Amino acid sequence: MKVVFLGTGTSVGIPMIGCDCRVCASSDPRNRRRRSSIYVAAGGTHLVIDTSLDFRDQALTFKVPRVDAVLMTHSHADHIFGLDDIRRFNTIQGQAIPVHGSGETIRDLKRIFSYINATPSPPGVYRPEIEFLETRGPWTVGAIRIEPLPVEHSTCETLGFRLEADGRTVGYVPDCHALPEAAFARLRGVDVMILDGLRHRPHPTHLTVEASVALLQRMGARHSYLTHLCHDLDHEETQESLPPAIFVSCDGMTLEW
Ligand SMILES: [Zn+2]
Ligand SMILES: [Zn+2]
Ligand SMILES: [Zn+2]
């Protein structure tokens, strides 16, 4: 299984517009964070989780070759507003692309992207062809088994995902302030766990680094990564403060096992 971090930043991206703090002004490329998203490939199947505001740049920079399905965690703007750029994959693959999300997420996507549907565009028009699909429990796309896991984040219905392919497992929960017991139980012991770790100061809709680390230690993944990071966190300094086997993610970081 291969996972590429396409983006590891909070909703505004890092650097933030108009901020000259030490992280936003940093020359360390690991402190440049696009909006949160990952690309997953296993057994010839290619997925992206969320189509962030930076999706085009991410697909070009980190070379996403194909998208067999998009999994949406929730309908906040930082996670969905790159959806229009899926149309290049319609052209490359010659097919509509399935987009999976909770009922609320799919309703929001159909409202926000009301011009998008699963039928080919008329001549001279170039719209994405998307098949919107509500998640109703685990399902499979090619070689990857996907399990949607409801988590708590804002007032917005939000999912994390547990992916499994050929016995290898990864959990991805970029936006949450609390993990329900059911989600925790399914994520316990995955090979790789990627979890929201916004900043040190408490936030009403995101986990702090400290709360995230405590959860990750209880989950016991072989390797754990913090994502959806804000400009309070310098990469190097934050990494040095973390316990063994817990890492700060950065854009372009690739995991393969
Ligand atoms: Zn977010
Ligand atoms: Zn800043
Ligand atoms: Zn969010």
Side-chain angles (χ1 to χ4, degrees), residues 28-44:
D28 183 342
R30 297 171 302 176
N31 282 331
R32 179 190 171 191
R33 301 174 183 131
R34 298 165 183 83
R35 268 51 77 88
S36 290
S37 170
I38 59 169
Y39 160 66
V40 182

Side-chain angles (χ1 to χ4, degrees), residues 2 4-6 34 39-41 46-48 55-67 89 92 252 254:
K2 177 175 163 179
V4 181
F5 288 90
L6 299 179
R34 298 165 183 83
Y39 160 66
V40 182
H46 305 258
L47 305 178
V48 290
F55 181 64
R56 175 177 171 275
D57 172 41
Q58 292 166 324
L60 285 170
T61 306
F62 304 118
K63 307 203 184 321
V64 176
R66 181 183 172 90
V67 175
F89 294 100
I92 293 166
T254 300

